[in-house]
Amino acid sequence: MIVHDPRNPRAVALYDDVTARLPDLDARTDITVVIGGDGFLLHTVHRFGFNRSYLGLNGGTLGFLLNDVSGRLDEVCDAIAKDAWIEHRFPLLRARVVRVDGTEHVDHAMNDVYLERSSGQTARVDVSISGYGLQRLAADGMIFATALGSTAYNFSAGGVPCDPGLPVMCVTPICPHKPRLSPFVVPYGTEASIEVYAPDRRPVRAVIDGRDVDDVARVTIGPTTHVVRIAYLEGHDFTRQMMEKLLN
């Protein structure tokens, strides 16, 4: 199976090139080839679910989660035809969101879960991580990212970029005012809970891999047995790719 981002001209052109070289690719059931940017890969995974393997080809800009194609399309298509890839399994984060009206929303994130203010006022939240409580954090929000997603919003907000193979959760405050909490990293398996103070006056929303949940009262974020399966072509080096993209 092959899918591409129809709104991205570069992805459309790459899709045409790949399907011309591999006309039988769309009929395959063992791999889902995704052409676009990192955001489109996230969208595709949540559209089709976690019970399949995804191989991304970078038709976007940064492409932290994808295989690079530039200048090597023949090599890439030959590798796909020969099944010359390695499937990696990355842990997800499970988010349980309780809204102000008491309704619940449960979802999984391969990249990140973050809370942010929904109005012009600073958000005020009580945070508990592995049982340690921090009361009345005043900030624009807070990011909880997997290692796989650490180079996305987490990095842009000043968080620590990590090799995606590390079993960690990155925690990054967004514009913290009081206290001046720095980004930090905890082991995967750590559970965090966030209680929103005065959500009627200081509304907060949660965003789970780009999907919004409004009017949040509290959120619990922690580990799950679910994983996302992403295939990378042989020779792919996560640390080298991270360094190249961050430094260039």
Side-chain angles (χ1 to χ4, degrees), residues 47-245:
R47 176 184 174 191
F48 292 105
F50 300 114
N51 60 345
R52 61 176 68 202
S53 185
Y54 298 89
L55 190 154
L57 300 181
N58 187 17
T61 50
L62 289 175
F64 278 107
L65 307 180
L66 310 166
N67 292 275
D68 285 324
V69 182
S70 299
R72 54 192 291 258
L73 183 58
D74 289 337
E75 175 190 344
V76 167
C77 289
D78 185 58
I80 293 174
K82 294 178 179 178
D83 297 348
W85 66 70
I86 299 173
E87 180 187 277
H88 297 261
R89 300 188 174 211
F90 299 103
L92 308 172
L93 291 176
R94 179 183 184 271
R96 175 179 171 268
V97 182
V98 179
R99 296 185 180 90
V100 174
D101 64 6
T103 59
E104 295 188 9
H105 176 84
V106 177
D107 203 350
H108 292 83
M110 58 181 280
N111 242 23
D112 50 40
V113 180
Y114 63 88
L115 283 81
E116 64 178 11
R117 62 179 185 172
S118 299
S119 71
Q121 291 182 298
T122 300
R124 292 186 182 273
V125 295
D126 294 339
V127 182
S128 176
I129 297 177
S130 196
Y132 178 80
L134 174 65
Q135 292 187 328
R136 296 298 185 270
L137 170 66
D140 281 356
M142 203 162 191
I143 304 167
F144 299 84
T146 63
L148 187 67
S150 66
T151 51
Y153 190 13
N154 173 74
F155 174 65
S156 297
V160 180
C162 299
D163 184 292
L166 294 175
V168 299
M169 178 173 70
C170 301
V171 183
T172 301
I174 306 170
C175 299
H177 177 65
K178 185 180 180 181
R180 298 288 293 177
L181 185 64
S182 298
F184 58 95
V185 177
V186 295
Y188 183 81
T190 302
E191 186 167 283
S193 62
I194 305 93
E195 188 95 17
V196 179
Y197 174 74
D200 54 333
R201 292 186 289 109
R202 298 176 179 269
V204 169
R205 70 170 183 162
V207 182
I208 306 167
D209 274 358
R211 299 180 301 280
D212 301 349
V213 182
D214 292 321
D215 299 322
V216 171
R218 58 186 177 275
V219 182
T220 303
I221 301 165
T224 175
T225 57
H226 294 294
V227 297
V228 60
R229 295 151 52 197
I230 304 180
Y232 291 92
L233 302 178
E234 291 182 354
H236 183 88
D237 186 305
F238 292 110
T239 301
R240 185 183 68 228
Q241 183 190 46
M242 180 179 69
M243 295 302 295
E244 288 176 350
K245 292 183 181 295

